[in-house]
Amino acid sequence: MQTNVAYARWARWSSRMPRTTAVVIVGYALTYAAAVLLGRMSVPAGEQLALIWPAAGVSFLWLKHLLRLPGAWRRMDLYVSIGLVGLLTFILNTLAHVPLGTNLASSVGNIVQSLAAAAFYLRGSDSGLLNSRRRLLDLLAASVLGAVASLPFGLLIAFLSGADWANGPAWVLRNTTGIFLVGIIGLRVLRRHPDELARQKNSRLLAGVSTLITCFVVWFAFFVTPAIPLSFL
């Protein structure tokens, strides 16, 4: 009897997540995993923190997409996604032999910064579009807020790894740039806004070419050159 009751409750809760949303979650999860692996590739020898962290931007876009839906905080898909952000971070860090304490702090910190940035960006607007200079400034402010909100976890990682406390500003800078740059790509290039993009015939082509050039420059600068150019940051 208790099993049947538990199953009925689960069925009611799971019915709140449409199949289309489940497909979106899988897509974001795969993209997030790839972003974490890319970020781990930029970790200097003997350090715990990556120089670039695109996963911050992917998780921001992921949770923003769900938070803009009606009744977001009562939806199963939001909590599944929050759990997946933490779980994927933890698993991939574990595979990279990250110590347990650092791993837990990093996993929770990613969740906190993504939720804070997404909630701030969506304040007063449930569309989440990036269609004006004001919204661009909102994205920048959300990126900084999210990174600062997760700063205690960055300081905890510095403490656990015996690193210098100067890693705190590096944590904020790394996550701010990750959310802001990937957020721009996600909101302007990968999303369609016919009301604005249709005004410029070649705007999508130009945006796509610019994105490819940026990706090539980052790849060449950080993964092809003999040493990572810290002065570039």
Side-chain angles (χ1 to χ4, degrees):
M1 177 64 71
Q2 292 181 349
T3 302
N4 293 335
V5 172
Y7 178 79
R9 290 177 179 175
W10 167 256
R12 285 199 302 271
W13 196 46
S14 61
S15 64
R16 300 177 185 177
M17 186 170 69
R19 291 183 180 180
T20 53
T21 305
V23 173
V24 170
I25 289 176
V26 171
Y28 271 117
L30 293 175
T31 306
Y32 180 78
V36 171
L37 292 174
L38 177 62
R40 293 302 309 173
M41 291 173 62
S42 69
V43 177
E47 299 290 338
Q48 296 294 335
L49 294 181
L51 295 177
I52 57 173
W53 196 243
V58 176
S59 57
F60 159 74
L61 293 171
W62 185 354
L63 299 186
K64 180 204 69 67
H65 172 77
L66 297 174
L67 282 174
R68 69 181 178 82
L69 300 177
W73 292 104
R74 299 190 301 272
R75 296 173 61 96
M76 173 190 176
D77 43 16
L78 176 62
Y79 297 100
V80 169
S81 297
I82 291 174
L84 282 174
V85 169
L87 182 62
L88 287 172
T89 306
F90 183 83
I91 291 175
L92 294 174
N93 281 342
T94 299
L95 295 176
H97 307 290
V98 176
L100 179 60
T102 299
N103 196 349
L104 290 173
S106 175
S107 301
V108 178
N110 275 277
I111 294 174
V112 170
Q113 72 182 7
S114 301
L115 281 174
F120 181 86
Y121 184 71
L122 289 173
R123 78 196 196 291
S125 174
D126 58 359
S127 66
L129 300 181
L130 183 61
N131 51 13
S132 67
R133 284 179 292 181
R134 185 184 68 82
R135 292 301 281 161
L136 182 64
L137 293 176
D138 286 342
L139 177 60
L140 177 59
S143 303
V144 175
L145 177 65
V148 171
S150 65
L151 177 58
F153 299 96
L155 295 177
L156 178 59
I157 292 174
F159 172 76
L160 293 175
S161 61
D164 190 271
W165 291 104
N167 278 10
W171 170 278
V172 173
L173 179 61
R174 181 196 74 159
N175 289 307
T176 296
T177 54
I179 296 173
F180 185 65
L181 295 180
V182 177
I184 290 176
I185 295 173
L187 293 171
R188 293 297 299 163
V189 178
L190 303 181
R191 303 281 297 181
R192 292 184 178 181
H193 304 305
D195 57 331
E196 184 173 346
L197 292 182
R199 301 174 188 174
Q200 299 183 16
K201 182 177 180 180
N202 297 322
S203 59
R204 292 185 184 178
L205 176 61
L206 178 61
V209 172
S210 300
T211 302
L212 290 176
I213 293 175
T214 302
C215 292
F216 173 78
V217 170
V218 172
W219 170 76
F220 183 82
F222 288 97
F223 304 113
V224 176
T225 53
I228 296 176
L230 296 178
S231 58
F232 177 76
L233 296 176

